[in-house]
Amino acid sequence: MQAASPEETHRLGVRLGGLLQPGDFVGLIGDLGAGKTHLVRGVAEGAQVPHSEVASPTFAIVYPYSGRIPLYHADLYRIADEDELYATGFFDLVGSGGAVLVEWLDRVPGAAPREYLRITLRPTAEDARELQAEAFGARSEALLAAWLP
Ligand SMILES: Nc1ncnc2c1ncn2[C@@H]1O[C@H](COP(=O)(O)OP(=O)(O)OP(=O)(O)O)[C@@H](O)[C@H]1O
Ligand SMILES: [Mg+2]
């Protein structure tokens, strides 16, 4: 998928947020400034999370949001390995129901369950991004099929 502007990325996020169900796991991959958090803000809006709740995870590893369903937003940029991630309580939170969005999933691939949606963001111009989505498992395939424009 192509997003020719930040607004387009946001809209893609809003649509995805409207489709998420408890238990869904979305991994976001892309360099600094690729637009991962930008997409998550759209997802949160689509999942009816109050605006003020959404931040870029900086101090905590996982932020819980409450919208139409519980949403967990994590950023693994500073996590060295799976052991360190265990210590943060990440796995307890993500196993507790709700949908999960994880930035920098490639830093700790073991953070992902067997079935999940992986979205890779790549800049193609200053304001344009390519979003490549790959679904693992039947539920993620259905989610992706519903999300695709
Ligand atoms: N098409 C686009 N989609 C998303 N963001 C875009 C786009 N074009 C430009 N941008 C800009 O790129 C930046 C993306 O920042 P964002 O914080 O979302 O990146 P990130 O991938 O979360 O980075 P980090 O790894 O630092 O968390 C924003 O400043 C946004 O305005
Ligand atoms: Mg970010």
Side-chain angles (χ1 to χ4, degrees), residues 47-67:
Q48 294 160 33
V49 173
H51 239 84
S52 54
E53 279 196 38
V54 185
S56 191
T58 304
F59 300 110
I61 298 304
V62 189
Y63 277 86
Y65 304 142
S66 46

Side-chain angles (χ1 to χ4, degrees), residues 23 25 61-63 72-76 79-100 102 104-105 107-114 116:
F25 187 106
I61 298 304
V62 189
Y63 277 86
Y72 297 102
H73 178 197
D75 190 326
L76 306 186
I79 300 291
D81 54 32
E82 226 175 301
D83 286 343
E84 196 181 324
L85 189 57
Y86 263 108
T88 68
F90 171 87
F91 290 103
D92 300 323
L93 268 182
V94 306
S96 67
V100 183
V102 180
W104 289 104
L105 180 66
R107 294 262 161 148
V108 189
R114 271 193 312 120
Y116 71 103

Side-chain angles (χ1 to χ4, degrees), residues 36-37 56 75 103:
K36 302 179 295 296
T37 300
S56 191
D75 190 326
E103 298 189 39

Side-chain angles (χ1 to χ4, degrees), residues 3-10 30-39 41 56-57 75 77 103-104 121 125-129 131:
S5 65
E7 292 72 29
E8 277 190 30
T9 299
H10 188 86
D31 286 339
L32 290 168
K36 302 179 295 296
T37 300
H38 204 81
L39 184 68
R41 287 211 181 89
S56 191
D75 190 326
Y77 186 69
E103 298 189 39
W104 289 104
L121 296 96
E126 195 181 332
D127 276 340
R129 303 289 187 266
L131 278 71

